[in-house]
Amino acid sequence: MNKEKHILLCVTGGIAVFKAAALTSKLIQQGYKVKVVMTDSAREFVTPLTFQALSRDHVYMDTFIEPNPEKIAHIDIADWADLVVIAPATANIIGKLANGIADDMVTTTLLATTAPVMIAPAMNVHMYDHPAVKRNMETLRTFGYHYIEPNEGYLACGYEGKGRMAEPEDILAMIDHHFIRKENKRWHGKNVLVTAGPTQEEIDPVRFFSNRSSGKMGYAIAEMAAARGAHVTLVSGPSSLSAPHGVNLVSVRSAEEMYKTVHSHFDQMDVIIKAAAVADYRPKSFHTNKMKKTEGDLSVEMERTDDILKTLGEKKKNQVLVGFAAESENIEENAKKKIKSKNLDMIAANSINNEGSGFQGDTNELTLFFADGKEIEISLTTKKLAASQLLDAIVPLLEGK
Ligand code: CTP
């Protein structure tokens, strides 16, 4: 999906240049075309050859080296870029750019480009806090430049604090989101609630009933919806996954907790996608002390949990309500029954018997059934791409609201 998207990576001199090399590699692996421009100081840290090998392209360093007489290099690459990323961005480059200084290849290119620019600052915590740096950053913000916030933590200079350049995978996520957002305007500003993962139903302080859901499908939907510019709340049962970029994660444990959390957010939501594998039953009583074993068998009496989706369907107003159905037989019949009984706009059904589909894996295969009888097949693909197709299928439902 990133084919032919042109990223111009401006690398300035700081220890985080090594992260820019990792970023270049990730961008190329994701199918972006990358050209790298380096300052003299950046070359003190990592050689241009590293970037040339990783980007599979010429690295630009000197405004006065013009290998192609038909073109002026800094104008040519400035026009070539769909997006410019300055990573790492030193206090020096931020100061020069804020004041319109153009005295090398990076700064002349930056003044010449009309593409959006993302800046990933990297510097010592006191430099980052300096009023001149703050003022310059604010000036650039008013010019329309975007920042990729540095992290807090250990800095190469030995200090602890804010100033560590964002990790390459986070910068990559912001770049992905930039392009996805541009192409999916219908999602901008929409409030989307996604549920994911299993629930855990405790029987005593150390034991619980749960299921094999990893949360991967729900997390992928949340990530892709945030990438499209939606405000995403992800209500997740216990999962080893970390919160996707730009998503508000609310962690819950039991079906009851998920019920309360989802209902407390429901009124503000435009779209609710219930990908969680919610327990249908929980132990009828909770033992406050650890249960001791006894001779013979043990029976645990279970009671029904509330069906969260059904109760949402009952109070639905303008929201688009989407359910999931993991089935081992009669997929179509069961899915269609659930659309009616839970008052859904759409249900995403998968067969847990199919290879590569369903719980825990990284891939999925889904059939989307709509309340109006329409069906869409999503053939076996990664959960992220399946999530993108699922969100595309929801767009016409938003039009009707
Ligand atoms: N669901 C829910 N609350 C529950 C159980 C399920 O909100 N207590 C939601 C799931 O998040 C999913 C959908 O209902 O979106 C379908 O869940 P599934 O377990 O497949 O269906 P059930 O309605 O529980 O029916 P059955 O167990 O008979 O298949």
Side-chain angles (χ1 to χ4, degrees):
M1 84 185 150
N2 304 318
K3 292 268 180 305
E4 301 311 323
K5 297 274 167 34
H6 294 173
I7 310 292
L8 186 67
L9 179 62
C10 296
V11 184
T12 69
I15 188 64
V17 174
F18 77 95
K19 289 191 188 172
L23 173 64
T24 309
S25 169
K26 285 183 191 299
L27 287 165
I28 293 289
Q29 287 175 49
Q30 291 301 311
Y32 289 103
K33 299 262 185 284
V34 181
K35 284 187 192 291
V36 177
V37 198
M38 297 178 83
T39 59
D40 291 350
S41 319
R43 285 187 283 141
E44 297 286 335
F45 291 91
V46 174
T47 67
L49 186 60
T50 302
F51 285 96
Q52 178 178 307
L54 292 170
S55 67
R56 298 173 205 151
D57 205 339
H58 177 72
V59 174
Y60 297 81
M61 292 168 280
D62 189 330
T63 335
F64 300 105
I65 294 182
E66 295 284 5
N68 183 350
E70 289 180 12
K71 289 177 176 165
I72 296 170
H74 68 278
I75 306 295
D76 189 44
I77 56 170
D79 289 346
W80 172 90
D82 294 312
L83 177 69
V84 179
V85 180
I86 314 176
T90 56
N92 187 43
I93 190 72
I94 289 168
K96 281 188 187 180
L97 194 53
N99 290 285
I101 295 170
D103 63 352
D104 63 4
M105 187 66 188
V106 167
T107 46
T108 47
T109 306
L110 284 171
L111 290 199
T113 192
T114 55
V117 179
M118 287 184 180
I119 302 174
M123 64 195 81
N124 164 273
V125 57
H126 298 314
M127 292 172 79
Y128 191 69
D129 275 344
H130 194 283
V133 174
K134 282 187 167 164
R135 181 201 58 204
N136 291 335
M137 286 183 67
E138 192 45 41
T139 303
L140 292 178
R141 212 186 296 277
T142 62
F143 292 169
Y145 288 78
H146 308 279
Y147 286 98
I148 303 171
E149 285 276 304
N151 294 325
E152 290 197 27
Y154 175 78
L155 304 174
C157 51
Y159 277 89
E160 290 274 338
K162 195 162 179 174
R164 200 168 70 178
M165 191 176 88
E167 295 307 315
E169 43 279 17
D170 292 327
I171 300 178
L172 176 67
M174 283 195 68
I175 293 170
D176 283 344
H177 291 196
H178 167 81
F179 289 110
I180 296 171
R181 187 173 299 134
K182 257 178 88 172
E183 286 156 16
N184 290 279
K185 296 213 160 61
R186 200 64 187 78
W187 287 94
H188 290 197
K190 288 274 174 277
N191 292 318
V192 176
L193 187 145
V194 181
T195 69
T199 61
Q200 289 180 353
E201 310 303 327
E202 293 177 301
I203 184 163
D204 75 7
V206 293
R207 303 182 180 96
F208 54 79
F209 289 85
S210 191
N211 60 63
R212 291 154 65 105
S213 169
S214 63
K216 285 180 183 167
M217 192 65 223
Y219 277 62
I221 295 169
E223 181 181 344
M224 290 297 123
R228 282 162 162 72
H231 302 299
V232 182
T233 304
L234 173 62
V235 180
S236 173
S239 164
S240 59
L241 304 172
S242 40
H245 183 82
V247 165
N248 170 31
L249 174 68
V250 184
S251 298
V252 297
R253 198 148 176 212
S254 63
E256 191 181 0
E257 245 185 282
M258 187 174 279
Y259 178 98
K260 285 184 183 146
T261 309
V262 169
H263 274 273
S264 72
H265 286 85
F266 185 71
D267 289 341
Q268 299 89 268
M269 292 298 147
D270 299 302
V271 180
I272 296 95
I273 305 172
K274 285 228 67 229
V278 188
D280 289 323
Y281 296 90
R282 69 175 154 240
K284 200 161 186 175
S285 50
F286 174 72
H287 298 252
T288 39
N289 295 316
K290 186 183 165 212
M291 289 166 69
K292 301 299 281 180
K293 64 178 167 297
T294 51
E295 290 303 316
D297 298 338
L298 168 74
S299 302
V300 177
E301 205 179 341
M302 306 285 275
E303 64 182 8
R304 284 289 306 270
T305 56
D306 288 317
D307 187 326
I308 307 171
L309 196 51
K310 193 164 193 288
T311 53
L312 296 178
E314 282 158 8
K315 72 179 206 188
K316 173 168 99 170
K317 290 191 186 102
N318 283 322
Q319 291 94 341
V320 174
L321 197 54
V322 175
F324 265 74
E327 306 287 349
S328 54
E329 55 189 349
N330 303 330
I331 301 179
E332 180 166 352
E333 194 189 326
N334 288 333
K336 285 183 170 169
K337 261 192 216 154
K338 285 176 192 173
I339 290 190
K340 280 219 166 64
S341 65
K342 302 189 186 201
N343 190 22
L344 307 180
D345 296 276
M346 185 182 107
I347 195 157
N350 62 355
S351 162
I352 53 170
N353 300 332
N354 285 7
E355 182 93 13
S357 166
F359 285 177
Q360 291 190 325
D362 290 320
T363 56
N364 212 353
E365 185 178 21
L366 296 166
T367 309
L368 309 180
F369 296 97
F370 294 78
D372 66 2
K374 197 172 76 176
E375 290 177 22
I376 295 179
E377 291 287 340
I378 299 181
S379 46
L380 191 64
T381 184
T382 63
K383 285 188 171 168
K384 275 194 190 171
L385 286 179
S388 289
Q389 291 178 54
L390 181 136
L391 292 169
D392 290 345
I394 293 174
V395 172
L397 302 175
L398 291 170
E399 309 294 343
K401 301 282 171 179

